[in-house]
């Protein structure tokens, strides 16, 4: 009898896979790889476009409770932050301190599941990238303090010319399929990821 492993991927448009013509994104690719490696998983993509950490903190718990009953091996992957760093009317959509407080609340409450956090990726705007980089570092420190594995995307992707060019030629924020494949490979080959990556 196969173990009932269920994964909830919680986050924003990057979790959703927006821009990926295959409709897999990085979350779908990780689930495909897990199943191909013999680990049968059920995955739920709970990414919503334009969601900030303030949006996610309001919804994630109920969404996961419906999908991760006590009898299953329930696991949570949280990824957010890019939308928090967007400037609207001259101000951040979510101030850094509030963003960190939101993530801390989610990670603390998610401790009854196996949980991993994935950092935010870069976009095609240098000023925003500086904010994304700083927020990613803050998230990493926060996760470390809570004992939650953190998989950083920013530094590898910002230095990847193929990723950067794909984002620039798309909508300036999201990659296409090859970019999401690169994201999935970074996560899947991390020592923190649960399943072998082939």
């Amino acid at each position: 009898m196969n173990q009932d492993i269920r994964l909830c991927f919680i986050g924003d448009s990057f979790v959703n896979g927006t821009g990926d013509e295959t409709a897999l994104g990085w979350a779908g690719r990780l689930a495909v790889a897990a199943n191909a490696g013999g680990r049968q998983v059920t995955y739920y993509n709970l990414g919503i476009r334009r969601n900030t950490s303030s949006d996610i903190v309001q919804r994630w718990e109920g969404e996961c409770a419906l999908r991760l009953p006590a009898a299953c091996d329930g696991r949570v992957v949280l990824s957010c932050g890019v939308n928090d760093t967007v400037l609207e009317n001259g101000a951040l959509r979510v101030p850094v301190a509030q963003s960190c407080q939101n993530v801390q609340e989610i990670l603390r409450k998610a401790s009854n599941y196996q949980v991993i956090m994935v950092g935010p990726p870069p976009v095609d705007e240098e000023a925003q990238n500086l904010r994304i980089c700083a927020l990613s570092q803050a998230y990493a420190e926060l996760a470390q303090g809570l004992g939650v594995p953190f998989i950083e995307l920013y530094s590898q992707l910002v230095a990847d010319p193929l990723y950067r060019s794909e984002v620039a030629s798309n909508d300036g924020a999201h990659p296409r399929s090859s970019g999401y494949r690169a994201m999935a490979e970074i996560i899947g080959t991390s020592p923190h990821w649960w399943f072998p990556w082939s």
Side-chain angles (χ1 to χ4, degrees), residues 64-130:
C64 286
L66 291 170
R67 294 165 175 85
L68 304 176
C72 80
D73 180 352
R75 308 185 187 198
V76 169
V77 182
L78 171 66
S79 185
C80 60
V82 173
N83 290 317
D84 294 39
T85 68
V86 171
L87 292 177
E88 287 186 348
N89 300 317
L92 291 172
R93 287 188 67 199
V94 183
V96 173
Q98 183 63 55
S99 183
C100 289
Q101 183 178 321
N102 293 336
V103 165
Q104 183 175 40
E105 180 178 339
I106 295 168
L107 294 180
R108 281 181 170 164
K109 288 185 176 180
S111 61
N112 55 320
Y113 306 114
Q114 292 190 57
V115 60
I116 286 174
M117 183 165 190
V118 174
V123 296
D124 188 40
E125 182 185 320
E126 293 312 311
Q128 186 179 359
N129 278 343
L130 293 175

Side-chain angles (χ1 to χ4, degrees), residues 103-162:
V103 165
Q104 183 175 40
E105 180 178 339
I106 295 168
L107 294 180
R108 281 181 170 164
K109 288 185 176 180
S111 61
N112 55 320
Y113 306 114
Q114 292 190 57
V115 60
I116 286 174
M117 183 165 190
V118 174
V123 296
D124 188 40
E125 182 185 320
E126 293 312 311
Q128 186 179 359
N129 278 343
L130 293 175
R131 299 191 294 272
I132 293 171
C133 180
L135 188 60
S136 180
Q137 291 170 354
Y139 283 170
E141 291 173 9
L142 190 158
Q144 183 179 24
L146 294 173
V148 173
F150 184 87
I151 302 175
E152 194 254 3
L153 292 179
Y154 181 86
S155 61
Q156 290 190 62
L157 294 176
V158 80
D160 182 340
L162 293 178

